[in-house]
Amino acid sequence: MEVEFEVKINAGVLYDYMLHHTYTGSAGILGSAVGALGVVAFFMNGYPLYLILGLVILVYQPVSLYLRAKKQALNPVFKEPLHYKMTEEGVTVSQGETEQFQKWSDMYKAVSTGRSIILYTSRINASIFPRKDLGGQQTEVIAMISRHMPPKKVQIRT
């Protein structure tokens, strides 16, 4: 069985990936907790400095990620759609004359957000499949990933 599709990566798709990647990791969770504690400390003690610090910490990360996503979206790699081909052996991604292949056994994990399916090829690198670009093939893509990766590595919700 083979599944082929094209995806267009834009700032919104990158932002969704960055939010998920950051806030499911320990640094994102810890930062949110510290920011929230600052706000709670303000309500308990009434010191405006706690509120300011808490809000800066809570607002800085999402704004920073958004600006980084907008900047990354300007990269020439994201100007043209990426063509993916999933086979029994692995996943091939191509764009123009460039082509890369990754075996299923080398995949790190697969997760999903409300807007995308994310196939990590390493701890920090991933292929992002926006659900809007998958259309009717979304079920087939999820089935391919689930069939070729161990269940403990697949955390996809439909």
Side-chain angles (χ1 to χ4, degrees):
M1 180 177 161
E2 286 184 1
V3 180
E4 287 191 57
F5 54 92
E6 285 195 352
V7 299
K8 181 78 171 117
I9 304 297
N10 59 32
V13 170
L14 288 170
Y15 183 59
D16 179 58
Y17 162 73
M18 289 178 176
L19 279 176
H20 180 273
H21 185 77
T22 300
Y23 286 104
T24 56
S26 56
I29 294 169
L30 183 62
S32 296
V34 169
L37 285 174
V39 173
V40 169
F42 164 74
F43 287 113
M44 291 178 67
N45 299 323
Y47 295 121
L49 184 60
Y50 289 145
L51 179 64
I52 293 167
L53 287 174
L55 290 176
V56 166
I57 291 170
L58 288 174
V59 172
Y60 172 77
Q61 187 76 326
V63 170
S64 168
L65 291 174
Y66 178 74
L67 294 174
R68 203 164 62 184
K70 283 190 68 116
K71 185 177 179 180
Q72 252 186 333
L74 298 175
N75 190 324
V77 171
F78 299 126
K79 294 293 180 204
E80 297 296 320
L82 297 166
H83 182 82
Y84 285 92
K85 181 177 180 181
M86 295 180 157
T87 64
E88 298 299 319
E89 291 76 38
V91 180
T92 303
V93 59
S94 59
Q95 185 181 50
E97 300 296 317
T98 308
E99 185 174 290
Q100 290 183 333
F101 176 78
Q102 187 95 20
K103 294 188 294 188
W104 287 112
S105 59
D106 295 338
M107 298 295 178
Y108 186 73
K109 69 179 178 177
V111 299
S112 64
T113 68
R115 298 176 65 187
S116 303
I117 295 171
I118 303 168
L119 184 60
Y120 281 88
T121 54
S122 71
R123 283 193 62 198
I124 57 171
N125 297 320
S127 293
I128 308 167
F129 311 140
R131 292 181 189 263
K132 66 177 178 54
D133 291 348
L134 295 177
Q137 292 182 300
Q138 183 173 315
T139 305
E140 295 172 43
V141 169
I142 294 170
M144 277 294 263
I145 293 170
S146 298
R147 185 174 35 242
H148 292 94
M149 291 181 68
K152 66 179 180 157
K153 289 185 172 186
V154 179
Q155 300 163 354
I156 297 176
R157 295 184 181 185
T158 54

